[in-house]
Each structure stands twice: as structure tokens, then as C-alpha cells.
Amino acid sequence: MKRSPNGLLARLREKGGLRNTVRIVAQFAWVRVFSLLYGAWLRAYGVRLEGRVNFTGTVRILGDPRRISIGAGSWLHRGVTLWTHDYGPGHGRITIGRRVTLLTNVQLNSYDGITVGDETAFGDGCYVQDNDHGTAPGIPVMQQPQVSAPITIGRDVWFGARCVVLKGVTVGDGTIVGAGSVVVKSLPAGQVAVGVPARVVKSRGDGMSRAA
């Protein structure tokens, strides 16, 4: 079935005109080519890419790249940092599912293990860390023993910009975490949580806020 010229013109107008349409097409073409070349380099470096992964710019890989796995269809934007500590054998592992989105400057810092489910999204500047230091008095912080616990994030979870997720936390499938929240305790599936520390304020779709 042929499209009418008027229909095509209308679609171009919706996209902001011919010039903007060309810009969008060129941008996607650049991302596609860059992703193929950069993905090949990351594979050679040791990162495990499960199929085609999209990159809008370079990312930082710190520690052992062989302990990082990224699922097919995921999008990693410029400035993302994936850090698996190499202080000892086997320390740190990052497993990112399929079609996961990590926007600009998201950081995943693993001494134990961070697992991210399929189709989860992180807003700009989110920080996920499964480790910290002891706090015994009389010992400098950087000489304290490392304390860690794995983080498990379910599928279809949405973190607003600049969320922080700390060690030992599980976030259930389909949960939304509001921008700027700090997650220090596990959150059940299908909830909306906000605040410092993050707490559940309602279930997705029920429209009813919980009491503070």
C-alpha cells in the first residue's frame, strides 16, 4: 500500500521538518556504527556483551572487565562507570540484563555482586554500590575492612535521576524509585518509593498514598 505524498509531508512535519528528520537519522546511524566498533573493542578488552549493545559515547571500565556482562539491546550513555574491584580474586561482578538503560554518568560499583534485571532504567547520575568500609573508632576510614553485600534489582525497575542504592538491597520487579532517593532497605515489587531513606508511598496503579 502506497503512502500519499500528503501523508509523508504530515509525518515529516511531526518530526520537525526534513532537516530535523535528517538530523535524527544521522544521529541514529552514528550511534549504530559507533556501537558496533566500540562493542568490538570492549569484547576484546574482556567485557561480555550478550548481543548488540548501544553506546552513545565511551564508558569507564574499572577493575576486571571479565566480570562485567551486558545484555542485548541495552543502552549505555556517555560517562557510565562500571567498576568491579580487583583487590582480590573474584571480587566484584556486574550483570546487566537485556534492554537496560543507563543514562549519563550512572555508576555501578561492585565488590560483591550487582545484578540488574531486564528493561530496568537508571536516570542521570544514579549510583549503585554494594560495599563500604567499617566504622570502628581509632582506625582511619581507608584502613577499615571492606564490608559488602550483593544488590539485586528486578526487571522493569525505574530509578529517577541521582538515586543512590546501597549494599544488601533487593528492589522488586516493576518498582519506581523517585529522583534523589537513597535506597538502604529492600523494596517490594510493584511499588513507588521516594525519599532519604527511600520508603514506599503507594503501589503502582492504586493511586493511594500510604501514611507516612
Side-chain angles (χ1 to χ4, degrees):
M1 181 177 178
K2 294 184 178 180
R3 295 181 182 273
S4 70
N6 289 338
L8 290 174
L9 288 173
R11 289 175 64 84
L12 283 174
R13 282 194 292 268
E14 289 175 1
K15 298 292 186 181
L18 179 59
R19 180 177 296 178
N20 194 53
T21 300
V22 170
R23 182 188 63 81
I24 292 171
V25 170
Q27 185 177 49
F28 272 95
W30 181 88
V31 168
R32 181 67 182 271
V33 172
F34 177 79
S35 297
L36 289 172
L37 296 174
Y38 191 60
W41 182 86
L42 287 176
R43 284 189 177 95
Y45 186 55
V47 177
R48 185 174 180 180
L49 303 184
E50 305 287 352
R52 185 166 66 86
V53 177
N54 304 290
F55 299 92
T56 67
T58 58
V59 302
R60 292 193 300 171
I61 304 296
L62 304 177
D64 187 346
R66 298 169 298 176
R67 298 200 290 267
I68 298 173
S69 174
I70 305 172
S74 292
W75 283 82
L76 279 70
H77 289 246
R78 186 182 304 276
V80 166
T81 298
L82 304 176
W83 184 6
T84 57
H85 290 255
D86 53 2
Y87 301 154
H91 283 305
R93 182 170 298 278
I94 296 173
T95 304
I96 297 171
R98 298 167 61 88
R99 298 179 298 280
V100 172
T101 299
L102 289 84
L103 293 185
T104 306
N105 295 327
V106 170
Q107 298 187 50
L108 274 59
N109 178 333
S110 176
Y111 188 83
D112 193 311
I114 297 173
T115 302
V116 180
D118 297 345
E119 298 178 314
T120 283
F122 295 87
D124 291 327
C126 286
Y127 187 81
V128 182
Q129 178 167 328
D130 67 8
N131 62 94
D132 57 28
H133 294 276
T135 58
I139 303 174
V141 170
M142 296 309 294
Q143 296 178 26
Q144 297 274 355
Q146 200 84 8
V147 181
S148 64
I151 292 172
T152 302
I153 297 169
R155 62 178 297 144
D156 190 31
V157 177
W158 177 19
F159 293 95
R162 296 175 180 81
C163 287
V164 176
V165 183
L166 299 180
K167 69 179 188 299
V169 161
T170 295
V171 180
D173 295 348
T175 285
I176 297 173
V177 183
S181 297
V182 179
V183 183
V184 298
K185 294 183 178 180
S186 295
L187 299 172
Q191 307 298 310
V192 177
V194 298
V196 182
R199 62 179 182 84
V200 173
V201 294
K202 67 178 181 178
S203 296
R204 284 185 68 176
D206 69 6
M208 298 295 291
S209 296
R210 297 179 185 267

